[in-house]
């Protein structure tokens, strides 16, 4: 359990750094790499999905320290026809889906080839 | 087999979800949405995506900037209203810094305004914006702006200022990172275009389009077909039936010209032309049918020192325009010792301070709404593919220009060929070709004039500079520290052949139809230091035709605001700056003063004549309780307004649109001043509602309208006294975001004022005082002002709507006007930007 938390923490850090330094597209790459590295062990897709979401939660938290993210979410959500909390939810689900599905696909492909 | 299927599912499902997520991450989703969902990857990025907009710090305490072209360093101190005080040693550097600030605070606004005039909105919005783009380009505004830019002398003083301004805008665009991109660009998945100097001219053309595009010919034709030429001319009078002109006449009250309205000569509905079919290379919708020009409802007035409490001249200005977020104005103060020290409001997109003050002079403008546009029926060699037009018995070649409209992917949406005669652009409508001459399309002068006004040292000098102003014609009031006051309606007034008004469509085959020239400045409507001690303009007819019978325009708005301003100023022989501020949002109404007694008197006479209906007595009693003020908590103004609506419905039944299946829509509603004039003729045939068997009189119509107004109020807002009739519950101001997004707008704002008040609140409440200013011209100039919204265009910024509450209340902020950076109180400075010199 402790190891899992540690893994999630390290992965979140890696995804966070990669997102900031390289871009959002690194999220599925990290997910795929994790899926390959941990194939056959537990739930790598779930682990990396949670990590990706956590990474973006932390980054969004940093952003919210510099501006009114909550009110702003309501305003931008209004433009897109959705409540603000849905926009925040989509923001956090997006990296999770990218990382998790990339891990699952990579894991399965490597397994099938093996 | 089972195992293989499971494996396929285990691989296939996540693969499909991954592919779909990557697709919307990279490409976004268009579907049938008017605005596509942008690529979600960059959009949702928590530090550089849309969320970064919430974290953008527009005013960090200290910033060092690099603006190419800046020779000497510039200091920009922002006060606690986010107003930049730009201290430079060269004027060019000051305007360069202003360009940078406009882009820093309003970049999206700069671009969308330019695109609107250039007709390139379809590059963002696709087919949705195509018709708007086509009509804009057909008017020739972009073509004209390009000619002005090409004629710009880059070595001239003003040419250098326009170029320096563009440098400043581009400096901001060049330094933009993904974190800095304004929200709207992210929503539209667009990137800012570089700013070209021609964009300043595009913007000025846009303003002219807003203020000076109007021509009554099509409406006049329809009215003539409906009620006959004589009645049409009376419903759309050349001169306002109520005269309270800008140039004082020496009278102490308005002059009423209550000539009887000629009776209508109604034609059968099937004889009325619809004018809706169009052939030709492009269609022409024509100017808005509501008036000579969209005049909005601006006010300005000046009071001479001998009529003020402290002996200093006072000036008030509140230009009314479409209210938007961000606001149309950006407040700024530019100081270049010995050369420039001007404070006021600027248009993001252009360098000059348009309305404001310097150390000696203050000024403000209202729109004149003069007739500066004529149409000419042209004869072409080929209506579909013309090459020549007929003039004085010979064919003359048309100038051609091909316009290509593209969508965001560069795909061609449409191609138009535009044609120009020597008069202007050729427009096609209903199988006819008309060319248009419009002063707005001719050589631009507003930027030059406004830049010059900033340095005027006296009323004399200011008036001299205004003589060069061309379009859109403006009523400028001015005051100086010496106590001089003046008003001038300046610009290019066409002189038409044989002194005719410009209401007809001219014969294009003869050069005898062409304008003979322009009114010389000596004949501009003008007044200076009048005996009454004040001057006021509120878009009303500038000159009383009884004393100055020459044509400047037609369809002047009812002068209710001018009447009220003059009434207040006449009654106040010791005007204070607080009173000036109070008058700007005065809830009193000259219109109500005129019509309310008419309703009450008619009700009294009808009841005396035997009308015992209980509703009439009740409605009259309720209306009698009204103080004729549109205050927010007023519970009777709505009754009056609904009665006025019913009065228009009952009176103007002759003007119902035969093409309207609902039977409710009129082709035109004559101005209130015409209706007021009709009140003086109790038995005019216009009072009769031809849809009924009986023949109605004025009093019967007024009384019935009052009852109908009461019934409508009851139906819509409940019984009186239950709170539903409160004015602020039934009428509000609405300030929409530039793209119309409600969640970025400020809606349902409870402001005082109603139709015809000095700060009018009409229709959808989307127009209003875009800037309010009071200036006191004492030994040291002092000023107060505000505008709805805030300095920033960023909806997440504290400066986006920080001024709204005070604007709603009619309050003004004291404006800081330091001579040097050291004069600005340290505790009022929120940020300091330094632009390094030697760039």
């Amino acid at each position: 359990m402790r190891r899992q938390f540690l893994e999630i923490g390290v992965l979140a850090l890696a995804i966070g750094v990669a997102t900031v330094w390289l871009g959002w597209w690194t999220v599925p790459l990290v997910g795929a790499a994790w899926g390959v590295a941990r194939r056959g062990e537990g739930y790598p897709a779930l682990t990396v999905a949670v990590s990706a979401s956590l990474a973006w939660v932390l980054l969004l938290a940093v952003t919210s320290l510099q501006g009114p993210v909550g009110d702003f979410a309501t305003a931008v959500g209004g433009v897109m026809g959705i409540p603000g909390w849905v926009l925040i939810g989509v923001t956090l689900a997006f990296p999770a889906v990218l990382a998790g599905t990339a891990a699952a696909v990579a894991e399965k492909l490597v397994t099938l080839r093996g | 087999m089972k195992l293989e299927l499971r494996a396929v599912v285990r691989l296939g499902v996540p693969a499909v979800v991954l592919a779909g997520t990557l697709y919307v991450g990279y490409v976004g989703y268009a579907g049938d949405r008017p605005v596509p969902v942008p690529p979600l990857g960059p959009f949702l990025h928590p530090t550089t995506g849309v969320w970064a907009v919430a974290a953008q710090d527009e005013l960090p305490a200290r910033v060092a900037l690099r603006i190419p072209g800046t020779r000497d360093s510039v200091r920009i101190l922002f006060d606690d209203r986010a107003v930049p005080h730009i201290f430079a040693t060269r004027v060019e550097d000051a305007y360069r810094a202003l360009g940078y600030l406009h882009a820093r605070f309003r970049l999206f606004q700069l671009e969308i305004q330019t695109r609107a005039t250039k007709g390139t909105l379809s590059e963002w919005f696709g087919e949705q914006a195509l018709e708007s783009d086509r009509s804009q380009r057909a008017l020739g505004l972009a073509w004209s702006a390009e000619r002005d830019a090409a004629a710009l002398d880059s070595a001239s003083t003003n040419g250098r200022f326009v170029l320096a301004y563009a440098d400043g805008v581009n400096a901001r665009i060049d330094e933009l990172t993904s974190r800095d991109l304004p929200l709207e660009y992210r929503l539209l998945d667009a990137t800012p275009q570089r700013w070209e100097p021609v964009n300043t001219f595009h913007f000025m053309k846009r303003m002219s389009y807003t203020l000076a595009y109007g021509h009554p010919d099509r409406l006049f034709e329809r009215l003539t077909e409906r009620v006959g030429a004589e009645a049409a001319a009376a419903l759309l009078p050349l001169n306002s039936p109520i005269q309270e002109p800008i140039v004082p006449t020496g009278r102490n009250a308005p002059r009423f010209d209550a000539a009887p309205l000629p009776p209508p000569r109604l034609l059968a509905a099937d004889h009325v032309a619809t004018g809706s079919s169009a052939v030709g290379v492009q269609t022409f919708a024509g100017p808005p049918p509501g008036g000579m020009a969209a005049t909005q409802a601006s006010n300005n007035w000046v009071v001479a020192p001998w009529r003020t409490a402290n002996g200093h001249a006072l000036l008030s200005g509140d230009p009314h325009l479409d209210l938007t977020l961000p606001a149309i104005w950006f407040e700024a103060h530019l100081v270049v010792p010995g050369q420039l020290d001007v404070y006021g409001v600027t248009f993001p997109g252009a360098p000059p301070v348009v309305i404001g003050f310097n150390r000696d002079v203050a000024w403000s403008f209202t729109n004149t709404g003069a007739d500066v546009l004529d149409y000419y029926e042209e004869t072409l060699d080929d209506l579909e593919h013309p090459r020549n037009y007929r003039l004085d018995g010979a064919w003359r070649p048309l100038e051609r220009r091909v316009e290509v409209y593209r969508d965001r992917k560069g795909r061609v949406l449409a191609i138009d060929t535009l044609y120009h005669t020597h008069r202007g652009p050729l427009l096609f409508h209903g199988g006819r070709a008309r060319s248009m001459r419009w002063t707005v399309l001719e050589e631009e002068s507003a930027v030059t004039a406004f830049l010059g006004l900033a340095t005027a040292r006296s009323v004399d000098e200011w008036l001299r500079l205004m003589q060069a102003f061309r379009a859109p014609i403006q009523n400028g009031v001015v005051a100086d520290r010496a106590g001089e006051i003046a008003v001038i309606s300046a610009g290019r007034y066409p002189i038409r052949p044989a002194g005719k008004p410009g209401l007809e469509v001219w014969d294009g085959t003869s050069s005898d139809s062409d304008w003979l020239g322009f009114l010389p400045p000596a004949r501009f409507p003008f007044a200076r230091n009048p005996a009454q001690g004040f001057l006021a303009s509120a878009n009303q007819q500038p000159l009383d035709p009884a004393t100055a019978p020459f044509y400047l325009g037609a369809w002047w708005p009812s002068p209710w605001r001018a009447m009220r301003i003059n009434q207040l100023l006449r009654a106040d022989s010791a005007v204070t700056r607080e009173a000036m501020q109070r008058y700007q949002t005065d809830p009193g109404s000259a219109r109500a003063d005129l019509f309310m007694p008419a309703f009450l008197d008619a009700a009294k006479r009808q009841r005396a004549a035997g009308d015992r209906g209980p509703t009439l007595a009740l409605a009259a009693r309720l209306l009698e309780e009204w103080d004729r003020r549109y205050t927010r908590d007023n519970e009777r103004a709505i009754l009056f307004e609904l009665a006025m609506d019913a009065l228009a419905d009952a009176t103007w039944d002759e003007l119902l649109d035969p093409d309207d299946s609902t039977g409710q829509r009129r082709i035109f509603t004559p101005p209130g001043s015409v209706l007021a004039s009709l009140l003086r003729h109790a038995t005019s045939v216009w009072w009769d509602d031809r849809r009924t068997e009986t023949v109605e009189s004025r009093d019967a119509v007024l009384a019935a309208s009052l009852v109908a107004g009461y019934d409508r109020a009851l139906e819509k807002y409940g019984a009186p006294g239950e709170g539903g009739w409160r004015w602020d519950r039934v009428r509000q101001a609405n300030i929409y975001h530039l793209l119309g997004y409600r969640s970025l707008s400020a809606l349902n704002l409870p402001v005082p004022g109603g139709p015809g008040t000095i700060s009018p609140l009409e229709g959808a409440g989307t127009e209003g005082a875009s800037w309010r200013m009071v200036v006191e011209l004492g030994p040291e100039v002092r000023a107060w002002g505000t505008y709805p919204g805030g300095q920033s265009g960023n909806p997440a910024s504290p400066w986006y709507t920080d001024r709204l509450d005070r604007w709603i209340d009619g309050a003004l902020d004291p404006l800081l006007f330091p001579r040097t950076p050291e004069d600005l109180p340290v505790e009022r400075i929120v940020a300091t930007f330094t632009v390094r010199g030697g760039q």
Side-chain angles (χ1 to χ4, degrees):
Chain A
M1 193 69 172
R2 197 174 150 195
R3 186 184 157 198
Q4 264 186 321
F5 278 125
L6 196 64
E7 280 181 357
I8 288 173
V10 171
L11 268 176
L13 188 67
I15 291 171
V17 170
T19 300
V20 171
W21 283 96
L22 297 171
W24 68 275
W25 50 269
T26 57
V27 175
L29 293 183
V30 174
W34 188 252
V36 171
R38 284 285 187 267
R39 66 183 180 279
E41 298 176 24
Y43 303 96
L46 183 61
T47 306
V48 77
V50 171
S51 303
S53 201
L54 178 63
W56 281 36
V57 164
L58 294 173
L59 292 175
L60 200 54
V62 171
T63 302
S64 73
L65 294 176
Q66 302 162 57
V69 164
D71 290 345
F72 186 64
T74 305
V76 178
V79 171
M80 307 180 96
I82 53 175
W85 62 267
V86 172
L87 185 62
I88 293 176
V90 170
T91 301
L92 304 182
F94 180 70
V97 173
L98 282 175
T101 53
V105 169
E107 182 192 9
K108 196 54 63 185
L109 280 175
V110 171
T111 307
L112 283 177
R113 286 186 65 178
Chain B
M1 187 65 193
K2 258 188 177 177
L3 273 175
E4 280 175 16
L5 184 62
R6 190 182 301 163
V8 168
V9 171
R10 281 190 176 173
L11 175 62
V13 171
V16 168
V17 174
L18 176 62
T21 312
L22 283 171
Y23 182 81
V24 294
Y26 274 108
V27 180
Y29 171 71
D32 57 355
R33 297 171 64 91
V35 177
V37 173
L40 285 187
F43 184 76
L44 295 177
H45 194 291
T47 57
T48 61
V50 68
W51 304 109
V53 175
Q56 284 170 4
D57 186 2
E58 294 157 306
L59 286 178
R62 294 202 175 275
V63 176
L65 297 172
R66 185 184 164 279
I67 304 179
T70 305
R71 195 190 297 172
D72 300 324
S73 69
V74 180
R75 280 184 80 188
I76 307 168
L77 306 180
F78 286 86
D79 67 29
D80 50 12
R81 295 175 62 250
V83 175
H85 301 264
I86 301 170
F87 294 93
T89 52
R90 296 171 68 238
V91 180
E92 268 170 86
D93 289 342
Y95 286 122
R96 209 179 320 270
L98 182 65
Y100 173 88
L101 295 175
H102 278 170
R104 186 176 177 104
F105 286 83
R106 304 284 186 86
L107 184 58
F108 178 76
Q109 184 180 19
L110 288 181
E111 184 162 352
I112 195 167
Q113 289 172 164
T114 307
R115 283 183 175 276
T117 316
K118 280 165 87 172
T120 58
L121 287 172
S122 49
E123 290 174 10
W124 276 353
F125 303 105
E127 295 270 1
Q128 279 188 97
L130 184 59
E131 278 317 300
S132 157
D133 282 351
R134 294 179 92 170
S135 64
Q136 282 294 302
R137 292 201 210 179
L139 287 177
L141 290 163
W143 196 349
S144 160
E146 288 165 24
R147 280 198 307 268
D148 289 342
L152 183 70
D153 178 2
S154 59
S156 69
T157 308
N158 291 327
R160 285 187 285 114
F161 296 164
V162 171
L163 297 178
Y165 177 84
D167 287 344
V169 175
N170 285 324
R172 174 58 180 170
I173 293 172
D174 290 343
E175 74 173 21
L176 281 178
T177 66
S178 56
R179 290 177 63 84
D180 302 322
L181 199 64
L183 172 65
E184 293 86 350
Y185 286 104
R186 298 171 192 271
L187 292 167
L188 298 175
D189 187 25
T191 49
Q193 280 193 329
R194 280 190 73 71
W195 184 264
E196 302 295 337
V198 67
N199 292 359
T200 289
F201 296 99
H202 280 127
F203 176 75
M204 297 312 287
K205 297 291 175 188
R206 182 77 186 167
M207 284 311 299
S208 295
Y209 169 75
T210 302
L211 297 170
Y213 181 53
H215 193 277
D217 69 314
R218 286 189 56 216
L219 178 56
F220 194 78
E221 281 170 11
R222 288 203 74 191
L223 266 181
T224 301
E225 287 160 349
R226 189 88 188 111
V227 297
E230 214 185 339
L235 296 173
L236 281 173
L238 281 180
N239 299 306
S240 175
I242 304 175
Q243 284 297 325
E244 181 82 312
I246 294 171
V247 176
T249 56
R251 287 189 308 270
N252 271 328
R255 180 176 69 81
F256 285 78
D257 182 9
L261 273 184
R265 281 189 286 118
L266 295 182
L267 300 184
D270 57 355
H271 290 165
V272 178
T274 60
S276 58
S277 65
V279 296
V281 286
Q282 73 269 345
T283 59
F284 167 51
M292 179 62 80
T295 50
Q296 277 80 33
S298 306
N299 310 304
N300 57 19
W301 63 87
V302 274
V303 184
W306 64 268
R307 277 192 83 105
T308 66
N310 63 7
H312 306 313
L314 287 167
L315 179 142
S316 166
D318 58 310
H320 291 221
L321 293 163
D322 282 336
L323 300 175
T324 58
L325 284 175
I328 194 167
W329 300 108
F330 181 84
E331 204 174 319
H333 176 203
L334 292 86
V335 187
V336 179
Q339 297 178 67
L340 182 71
D341 192 348
V342 62
Y343 189 117
V345 280
T346 60
F347 288 127
V353 167
V354 177
I355 292 175
F357 53 91
N358 59 28
R359 296 283 162 198
D360 301 294
V361 177
W363 65 94
S364 186
F365 295 104
T366 64
N367 194 39
T368 306
D371 182 2
V372 293
L373 187 161
D374 276 344
Y375 290 112
Y376 301 82
E377 199 82 46
E378 301 288 359
T379 302
L380 306 178
D381 54 356
D382 180 344
L383 196 60
E384 293 289 330
H385 304 287
R387 291 187 166 279
N388 301 291
Y389 67 105
R390 198 85 179 153
L391 186 70
D392 297 334
W395 289 106
R396 285 184 56 165
L398 290 159
E399 199 180 345
R400 282 158 40 106
R401 171 174 158 126
V402 174
E403 298 282 354
V404 181
Y405 306 86
R406 297 180 188 277
D407 68 7
R408 64 167 55 226
K409 290 183 176 160
R411 288 180 300 222
V412 174
L413 296 174
I415 298 174
D416 285 340
T417 304
L418 306 186
Y419 303 93
H420 257 223
T421 70
H422 68 288
R423 299 174 176 117
L426 199 58
L427 304 160
F428 295 86
H429 177 72
R432 292 178 303 197
R434 288 176 177 174
S435 66
M436 176 173 80
R437 184 156 187 201
W438 186 22
T439 55
V440 165
L441 299 179
E442 300 176 8
E443 195 185 346
E444 209 283 329
S445 68
V447 172
T448 303
F450 289 137
L451 287 168
L453 297 182
T455 60
R457 305 294 301 272
S458 65
V459 163
D460 266 339
E461 196 179 341
W462 192 93
L463 290 169
R464 207 164 39 246
L465 289 162
M466 275 303 286
Q467 292 190 356
F469 191 83
R470 292 179 182 148
I473 299 178
Q474 296 290 292
N475 309 314
V477 296
V478 59
D480 67 19
R481 280 197 305 124
E484 298 278 311
I485 62 169
V487 65
I488 188 166
S489 303
R492 280 192 148 184
Y493 297 90
I495 300 175
R496 294 162 170 99
K500 284 187 185 172
L503 300 178
E504 62 188 85
V505 177
W506 301 85
D507 172 17
T509 62
S510 169
S511 56
D512 290 343
S513 303
D514 285 335
W515 293 350
L516 304 175
F518 299 98
L519 208 63
R523 292 185 64 196
F524 290 170
F526 167 74
R528 182 172 185 166
N529 301 329
Q532 64 183 23
F534 61 87
L535 291 161
S537 90
N539 312 112
Q540 78 271 39
Q541 188 166 359
L543 295 167
D544 186 336
T547 55
F550 54 93
Y551 180 79
L552 299 178
W555 295 19
W556 304 99
S558 303
W560 310 127
R561 285 175 290 113
M563 289 162 71
R564 181 65 183 168
I565 295 166
N566 285 335
Q567 185 183 31
L568 290 167
L569 292 175
R570 281 178 190 128
D572 188 347
S573 57
V575 183
T576 61
R577 72 102 183 153
E578 289 86 357
M580 298 279 277
Q581 175 181 330
R582 208 168 48 246
Y583 297 162
Q584 288 179 338
T585 52
D586 174 76
S589 164
R591 172 173 163 271
D593 290 346
L594 201 145
F595 282 98
M596 186 179 132
F599 278 117
L600 295 176
D601 292 347
K604 202 177 290 174
R605 285 192 290 267
Q606 284 298 102
R607 290 173 65 205
D611 185 340
R612 296 285 170 223
T615 312
L616 179 59
L618 175 62
R621 184 174 60 74
L622 290 170
L623 186 62
E624 206 162 14
E625 291 170 4
W626 188 35
D627 58 3
R628 289 177 282 181
R629 292 162 66 83
Y630 294 80
T631 45
R632 286 180 279 206
D633 60 353
N634 200 293
E635 299 202 23
R636 294 293 175 265
I638 186 59
L639 172 60
F640 174 73
E641 284 308 318
L642 292 175
M644 287 296 289
D645 289 348
L647 180 61
D649 292 344
T651 309
W652 304 124
D653 59 290
E654 295 84 355
L655 305 179
L656 286 170
D657 185 348
D659 298 330
D660 175 38
S661 57
T662 67
Q664 302 288 316
R665 195 179 66 204
R666 286 184 288 275
I667 53 176
F668 169 67
T669 300
S673 51
V674 171
L675 186 57
S677 180
L678 187 63
L679 282 179
R680 302 197 169 199
H681 304 281
T683 54
S684 168
V685 294
W686 286 91
W687 292 115
D688 179 32
D689 186 343
R690 288 160 195 257
R691 296 165 296 184
T692 64
E693 294 291 322
T694 52
V695 176
E696 287 85 359
S697 67
R698 176 195 64 192
D699 287 350
V701 170
L702 280 164
S705 299
L706 182 54
V707 170
Y710 173 79
D711 288 341
R712 289 180 192 180
L714 207 59
E715 184 188 334
K716 287 175 100 170
Y717 307 114
E722 292 179 355
W725 288 26
R726 270 183 66 110
W727 185 243
D728 59 3
R729 292 200 186 161
V730 298
R731 293 283 191 280
Q732 297 98 15
N734 291 296
I735 308 180
Y736 281 90
H737 178 262
L738 285 171
L739 292 175
Y741 296 136
R742 292 181 66 86
S743 62
L744 307 181
S745 308
L747 305 178
N748 305 319
L749 306 175
V751 297
T757 59
I758 294 174
S759 184
L761 179 60
E762 298 182 51
T766 54
E767 292 175 1
S770 61
W771 164 245
R772 291 192 183 117
M773 173 181 83
V774 172
V775 186
E776 180 188 275
L777 291 125
E780 284 292 323
V781 172
R782 297 195 303 158
W784 297 262
T786 198
Y787 64 76
Q791 292 281 78
S792 172
N794 177 359
S797 165
W799 314 108
Y800 183 63
T801 53
D802 59 305
R803 301 174 174 200
L804 261 185
D805 288 343
R806 289 178 60 72
W807 176 82
I808 289 169
D809 291 339
L812 303 180
D813 299 322
L815 308 181
L816 296 174
F817 192 35
R819 290 175 184 271
T820 66
E822 293 70 33
D823 287 348
L824 199 59
V826 176
E827 67 278 10
R828 302 286 303 270
I829 301 172
V830 296
T832 304
F833 290 9
T834 307
V835 187
R836 285 195 297 267
Q839 301 290 324

